Amino acid sequence: MKARRNKKQVPSFRKLLKTSKVKLENKLKNKQFKQQSTLKKYRKEQRKLRQAVKDAVSKKPIPLEDPKEKRPGKRIEREEEEEEEALPLDMMDEDDLQLMKDLGQRASFLTRDLSSSEPVHARKRKHEHVIDKYEKIPRTLQTAPEKELIHLLPIKDKSGIIPQTREKPVIDSNQDEEDQEEMEPEEEIIEEPIKELTLEEHLIERKKKLQEKKMRIAALASAILSDPESNIKKLKELRSMLMEQDPDVAVTVRKLVIVSLMELFKDITPSYKIRPLTEAEKSTKIRKETQKLREFEEGLVSQYKFYLENLEQIVKDWKQRKLKKSNVVSLKAYKGLAEVAVKSLCELLVALPHFNFHNNIIVLIVPLMNDMSKLVSEMCCEAVKKLFKQDKLGQASLGVIKVISGFVKGRNYEVRPEMLKTFLCLRIKEVEVKKDTEDINKQKKFMTFKEKRKTLSRMQRKWKKAEEKLERELREAEASESTEKKLKLHTETLNIVFVTYFRILKKAQRSPLLPAVLEGLAKFAHLINVEFFDDLLVVLHSLIESGDLSYQESLHCVQTAFHVLSGQGDVLNIDPMKFYTHLYKTLFKLHAGATNEGVEIVLQCLDVMLTKRRKQVSQQRALAFIKRLCTLALHVLPNSSIGILATNRILMHTFPKTDLLLDNESQGSGVFLPELDEPEYCNAQNTALWELHALRRHYHPIVQRFAAHLIAGAPSEGSEALKPELSRRSPAELFEAYSMAAMTFNPPVESSNSKRKDKVLQGDSFLSEEISQLIKRHCSEVATQSPLDFTKYLETSVRL
């Protein structure tokens, strides 16, 4: 049989060329490393040999005792063998002979070759002692590094447990030092000691460093702003300064770089979103200008992404109290850095809602709205409010609302009320007004081809086609978003807001979020579907009757109920008498001191309950409210009194027959019952507004003016009519205008600037003339009596 040919052939030269470059580089590195290691070993051995020769020359050897001299026979045999092996002296030169003699006299054990571990006698004897064997083993130098053992998991065998160990590699410090000595020059360089700076010198040095860093930041920022497309790479250089390592100026420089980059991105960012290029776009040939623009956009997006990641990492390090290994920035400085980072994120959230990574910024900002730090929380909430106010389309607002709703639900409704108060800044109400106008004036639709053929001639169709084409081009040139898209976004946003509100009403009625929820419902209640009105009113009344709400929260419930009924609920046949009764009953619970925020809510409720629902309000109810409001105006702050009297003025104009309260005569049977909580049955027609006469003597001039105006019957013309700056303002505006929150009197008190100085009355001016003369005469008399001698009185008292 033929032997099988070996299929494994020797690789050819071409196949060897296909070896990976990495493998060839590794082989070359290993070869070089081996060469270097052999050279190092050779140098080390040569150094040791030279040192040994120097020691041998400098020291004379001490003759060692030979323990085997006791056996003369053996010694004689050894000497004879050495003489036979040695060369005859006749065959050596005189110089070599003299050198050998000198070396023999100065021999030392250091000149021996200790590399071989064989004993002097190859044959072993049985009667040798164990100590002799140990002594014959060559010693190792103490400078050799000891090998540490790493204990591994043992192996279990039939014979038992076998322990496993492994040598831990030890770095030879002596070898490294020797290598460093070879590389260093022979002359020793004397390093100058570091000079210790005083506090003043240290501050001067820090100021100098900081000025250099500022100039560097300014130069980079100016270069980028002057030509962003050409100098986009300098953004990376500026961003690298976020990792400043000098502990003297690290915190300040990082803050400056964060703010500078934020302003740069706000300036150079385009007004459109940059999308990644497809493979087809990358493969096509383009002009140099287009290629330059693409490179600029790619660089801008990448640097913006890295910048946001740096800000996120700064905030995370502060939240986790994480200290970096370099210890350049202390834990106390992390808070300041994080606040600057959050401020920059808030600015970018508001300034660049159209650009890339805006949703990522929203995800970072929303949890910080509920942060423990009040400053950080306020910054984030204000930024979100600003975004809601300026967002016309609603795309950015929808993204923020989604994240906030999910965050509130995930925290089980245990968040700050400020998070839900930001919903009040949504611009949904304005768009809904536009929607109503658009329903009345619907947009003109383009005619179909069949309609044109039936109604228009050939020339008319031609002109119509050109007109429609022009209209389409104008729409594209305007680049305005369609109203339908806006409505769709706002509807989705409002649905998420109402879902959040209703969840809190259902599951967290005792939550501190309830006032914000009721205030939000009061604003957006007219946009709720009519089908939910009845259920919502039942829930609001049950909340009021439960007694768990504060006074301000119950006012919000009343306000919400009437906002619901004033919008689409106006067509419903619902009488909210229980809400009227609740407000009438609780008016006297308003705080009369500095914390009178509830007055503003009361003024809004009265406007919705009485003025806007004038057709559903009876005269008895209006009289009862006017009487109670005048009584309330007596014991509240001046701005509250002005707002209440302005409301009474509007009610007297809205219900003209209420002027009977300005007459002393009774207008029917019954007696006025001020303690009764039902406004319909308290007989308010049998009383008068005597409180206005007391308010006419009020210390505040505007209150006096309103009281006199109401006593005169609230005329629109004449001497008792109000000035336009008072009559044209609503009660809520007057309440804010004359507020005492700044601890200043409004209007300011006029100072007396009379030229003639009034004489100041002294104490004597209050006395009669006789008494004043008597006092003067008594004071002018000279004391002629001698001083009293108390000793004689003392002696007489002792005798007694």
Side-chain angles (χ1 to χ4, degrees):
M1 293 178 65
K2 294 182 180 180
R4 289 185 179 179
R5 292 182 62 186
N6 189 7
K7 294 182 180 180
K8 189 175 181 182
Q9 298 178 356
V10 179
S12 62
F13 179 71
R14 290 183 179 178
K15 289 185 177 180
L16 288 174
L17 288 178
K18 294 181 180 179
T19 309
S20 63
K21 293 181 180 180
V22 179
K23 193 172 181 181
L24 293 175
E25 289 175 0
N26 291 338
K27 286 183 179 181
L28 183 60
K29 288 179 182 179
N30 291 336
K31 187 176 180 180
Q32 292 175 356
F33 179 74
K34 287 180 181 179
Q35 291 176 357
Q36 291 175 1
S37 61
T38 52
L39 285 173
K40 286 182 182 179
K41 287 181 181 179
Y42 177 73
R43 289 173 190 165
K44 191 174 179 181
E45 290 176 0
Q46 292 295 325
R47 195 181 298 109
K48 285 183 179 181
L49 186 59
R50 286 197 298 270
Q51 186 67 30
V53 171
K54 287 180 183 179
D55 294 342
V57 171
S58 62
K59 296 180 182 179
K60 289 185 178 181
I62 300 172
L64 300 174
E65 294 181 0
D66 190 2
K68 299 178 182 179
E69 286 181 356
K70 297 180 182 179
R71 292 176 286 179
K74 190 68 179 176
R75 182 170 54 83
I76 293 167
E77 292 177 0
R78 187 177 64 186
E79 289 175 357
E80 290 176 355
E81 290 177 0
E82 289 176 356
E83 289 177 359
E84 291 177 359
E85 292 176 359
L87 292 171
L89 297 177
D90 298 336
M91 296 177 66
M92 299 180 67
D93 296 336
E94 292 181 359
D95 297 337
D96 295 338
L97 182 62
Q98 185 64 31
L99 181 61
M100 292 295 292
K101 287 181 180 179
D102 294 338
L103 287 175
Q105 290 177 0
R106 298 172 184 175
S108 175
F109 72 95
L110 290 174
T111 58
R112 297 178 193 167
D113 186 11
L114 300 177
S115 60
S116 62
S117 61
E118 294 181 358
V120 180
H121 304 284
R123 295 179 182 178
K124 296 181 181 180
R125 297 181 182 179
K126 294 181 180 180
H127 62 275
E128 286 183 351
H129 201 266
V130 180
I131 297 174
D132 296 337
K133 292 181 181 179
Y134 181 78
E135 290 293 337
K136 289 178 181 179
I137 298 174
R139 269 62 166 175
T140 57
L141 296 176
Q142 293 182 354
T143 56
E146 297 181 359
K147 295 181 179 179
E148 298 182 8
L149 297 178
I150 300 174
H151 296 279
L152 305 175
L153 291 173
I155 299 173
K156 190 173 182 181
D157 198 2
K158 293 180 180 180
S159 58
I161 297 174
I162 304 172
Q164 298 289 323
T165 56
R166 188 180 68 184
E167 293 180 359
K168 185 177 181 181
V170 180
I171 300 171
D172 193 355
S173 59
N174 296 331
Q175 185 177 354
D176 295 340
E177 291 175 1
E178 290 168 0
D179 295 339
Q180 290 177 4
E181 289 175 2
E182 290 176 4
M183 298 297 294
E184 291 177 357
E186 294 181 358
E187 296 179 2
E188 295 182 358
I189 299 172
I190 301 173
E191 296 182 358
E192 296 181 359
I194 300 173
K195 186 179 179 181
E196 294 183 1
L197 301 176
T198 61
L199 181 60
E200 186 177 358
E201 292 174 348
H202 185 74
L203 291 175
I204 294 171
E205 187 70 20
R206 181 185 179 276
K207 189 175 180 181
K208 185 178 178 182
K209 290 179 183 178
L210 195 57
Q211 188 65 25
E212 292 176 357
K213 297 291 183 182
K214 285 181 180 179
M215 293 301 293
R216 180 62 180 162
I217 294 170
L220 290 172
S222 300
I224 295 167
L225 285 175
S226 61
D227 191 1
E229 293 186 0
S230 301
N231 299 324
I232 192 64
K233 292 183 179 179
K234 292 189 177 181
L235 268 177
K236 184 178 181 182
E237 187 176 351
L238 183 58
R239 192 176 57 80
S240 65
M241 296 181 72
L242 283 173
M243 300 295 116
E244 178 63 39
Q245 296 299 319
D246 191 350
D248 292 340
V249 295
V251 179
T252 308
V253 170
R254 292 184 185 186
K255 288 181 180 180
L256 291 172
V257 173
I258 289 172
V259 177
S260 302
L261 283 170
M262 180 262 294
E263 294 294 339
L264 280 173
F265 282 121
K266 285 169 62 177
D267 290 338
I268 67 176
T269 300
S271 59
Y272 54 88
K273 188 174 183 179
I274 299 172
R275 61 173 179 81
L277 299 175
T278 60
E279 294 296 331
E281 290 174 343
K282 290 179 181 179
S283 60
T284 55
K285 291 183 179 181
I286 53 176
R287 294 183 299 174
K288 290 183 179 180
E289 293 82 4
T290 310
Q291 181 64 28
K292 188 176 180 181
L293 180 61
R294 284 185 179 180
E295 290 176 358
F296 166 72
E297 290 178 347
E298 289 178 1
L300 178 64
V301 170
S302 63
Q303 292 303 319
Y304 187 58
K305 178 185 176 184
F306 291 140
Y307 173 64
L308 294 178
E309 288 176 352
N310 291 335
L311 296 184
E312 181 184 8
Q313 191 61 43
I314 290 171
V315 176
K316 281 184 178 179
D317 291 343
W318 169 59
K319 297 297 290 181
Q320 298 173 359
R321 305 294 190 269
K322 187 178 179 182
L323 189 63
K324 297 292 184 182
K325 294 181 180 179
S326 58
N327 292 331
V328 175
V329 181
S330 62
L331 283 172
K332 293 182 180 179
Y334 272 165
K335 185 178 181 182
L337 272 175
E339 288 175 356
V340 175
V342 172
K343 181 67 176 176
S344 301
L345 286 170
C346 293
E347 290 287 337
L348 294 173
L349 177 76
V350 178
L352 305 176
H354 60 277
F355 198 57
N356 301 51
F357 310 113
H358 190 257
N359 291 333
N360 301 78
I361 300 176
I362 293 172
V363 173
L364 285 176
I365 290 293
V366 169
L368 294 175
M369 294 171 67
N370 192 42
D371 195 77
M372 297 295 292
S373 174
K374 188 177 179 182
L375 179 62
V376 174
S377 177
E378 287 179 354
M379 278 195 300
C380 297
C381 291
E382 289 299 323
V384 172
K385 287 180 182 179
K386 197 173 180 181
L387 178 66
F388 287 161
K389 289 177 182 178
Q390 72 178 24
D391 186 19
K392 296 180 180 179
L393 178 60
Q395 185 72 41
S397 300
L398 178 60
V400 177
I401 291 294
K402 283 181 179 179
V403 179
I404 291 178
S405 178
F407 183 80
V408 172
K409 185 180 179 183
R411 290 295 182 94
N412 198 16
Y413 312 103
E414 294 180 0
V415 295
R416 286 177 177 266
E418 288 78 7
M419 289 189 71
L420 294 184
K421 286 183 180 179
T422 57
F423 292 176
L424 300 175
C425 299
L426 288 168
R427 297 184 61 177
I428 298 177
K429 185 177 180 180
E430 297 179 1
V431 178
E432 290 297 328
V433 173
K434 290 180 182 178
K435 176 192 170 186
D436 295 339
T437 58
E438 288 169 4
D439 288 341
I440 297 170
N441 302 321
K442 292 185 178 180
Q443 291 183 355
K444 185 179 178 181
K445 295 183 179 180
F446 295 122
M447 296 176 68
T448 61
F449 180 74
K450 291 182 179 180
E451 291 174 351
K452 290 177 184 177
R453 194 169 184 179
K454 288 180 180 179
T455 58
L456 302 176
S457 64
R458 185 176 180 183
M459 185 60 68
Q460 288 175 341
R461 288 199 300 269
K462 189 175 180 180
W463 280 102
K464 194 71 175 176
K465 184 178 180 181
E467 186 181 352
E468 291 176 356
K469 183 180 179 182
L470 181 61
E471 287 183 8
R472 289 193 185 96
E473 290 177 355
L474 288 173
R475 285 186 181 182
E476 292 176 359
E478 288 176 1
S480 59
E481 298 291 340
S482 63
T483 310
E484 294 179 0
K485 187 175 181 181
K486 289 182 183 178
L487 284 177
K488 185 178 179 181
L489 291 171
H490 286 153
T491 304
E492 189 176 354
T493 303
L494 197 63
N495 288 339
I496 297 173
V497 169
F498 281 136
V499 165
T500 305
Y501 284 165
F502 293 152
R503 280 175 181 167
I504 295 173
L505 281 177
K506 184 178 179 181
K507 299 181 180 179
Q509 292 185 355
R510 298 185 180 181
S511 171
L513 301 177
L514 195 59
V517 171
L518 295 172
E519 193 173 355
L521 284 173
K523 181 174 183 180
F524 302 115
H526 61 285
L527 305 174
I528 306 175
N529 195 347
V530 183
E531 298 175 359
F532 301 111
F533 281 3
D534 195 10
D535 296 334
L536 185 58
L537 290 175
V538 171
V539 171
L540 292 174
H541 185 257
S542 63
L543 284 172
I544 293 174
E545 294 296 328
S546 64
D548 297 331
L549 303 182
S550 64
Y551 180 65
Q552 198 164 354
E553 292 172 357
S554 64
L555 288 178
H556 279 302
C557 284
V558 174
Q559 186 183 11
T560 304
F562 283 97
H563 271 288
V564 169
L565 295 175
S566 63
Q568 301 176 22
D570 195 13
V571 298
L572 300 177
N573 189 15
I574 299 175
D575 185 17
M577 186 59 198
K578 46 194 174 185
F579 293 104
Y580 282 102
T581 304
H582 175 74
L583 183 63
Y584 182 80
K585 179 173 60 176
T586 58
L587 274 177
F588 289 148
K589 292 183 180 180
L590 279 171
H591 201 287
T595 57
N596 59 347
E597 295 89 355
V599 176
E600 186 176 6
I601 306 172
V602 167
L603 296 176
Q604 294 174 2
C605 290
L606 291 170
D607 182 43
V608 179
M609 295 167 64
L610 300 174
T611 307
K612 292 182 178 179
R613 291 176 58 86
R614 60 175 67 90
K615 294 180 180 180
Q616 289 87 2
V617 177
S618 63
Q619 185 179 354
Q620 293 291 333
R621 198 180 301 176
L623 290 170
F625 270 99
I626 291 174
K627 174 62 178 177
R628 182 150 289 199
L629 286 173
C630 282
T631 309
L632 178 65
L634 290 172
H635 65 272
V636 290
L637 291 180
N639 61 328
S640 302
S641 296
I642 293 169
I644 291 170
L645 293 177
T647 303
N648 274 348
R649 174 179 176 271
I650 294 172
L651 292 177
M652 291 177 73
H653 287 168
T654 306
F655 302 96
K657 294 183 179 180
T658 54
D659 59 351
L660 59 88
L661 292 174
L662 302 175
D663 193 359
N664 291 331
E665 296 180 1
S666 59
Q667 300 293 329
S669 61
V671 180
F672 175 59
L673 303 173
E675 302 90 358
L676 192 66
D677 294 334
E678 293 291 338
E680 295 284 346
Y681 309 109
C682 64
N683 298 322
Q685 72 276 3
N686 293 324
T687 184
L689 300 179
W690 56 266
E691 295 89 355
L692 295 176
H693 292 277
L695 291 171
R696 196 174 184 179
R697 297 189 295 273
H698 198 276
Y699 65 88
H700 200 283
I702 307 300
V703 177
Q704 296 177 12
R705 190 76 194 89
F706 265 98
H709 174 70
L710 292 178
I711 288 174
S716 301
E717 297 177 353
S719 60
E720 295 298 333
L722 292 177
K723 295 180 180 180
E725 60 265 17
L726 297 178
S727 61
R728 293 178 181 177
R729 288 185 180 182
S730 65
E733 291 175 352
L734 290 170
F735 173 79
E736 289 292 334
Y738 294 97
S739 175
M740 307 282 290
M743 300 301 291
T744 55
F745 193 78
N746 189 10
V749 180
E750 295 182 359
S751 58
S752 60
N753 296 324
S754 58
K755 296 181 179 179
R756 185 177 61 84
K757 294 183 179 180
D758 296 332
K759 292 182 179 180
V760 180
L761 295 176
Q762 301 294 333
D764 298 343
S765 60
F766 294 100
L767 303 176
S768 62
E769 294 182 359
E770 296 180 357
I771 295 175
S772 61
Q773 291 177 1
L774 183 64
I775 292 172
K776 288 180 180 178
R777 187 178 64 186
H778 182 75
C779 293
S780 62
E781 288 181 358
V782 181
T784 56
Q785 296 179 359
S786 60
L788 296 175
D789 187 8
F790 293 99
T791 56
K792 60 182 181 179
Y793 295 103
L794 184 63
E795 291 176 357
T796 54
S797 62
V798 170
R799 290 174 185 174
L800 294 173

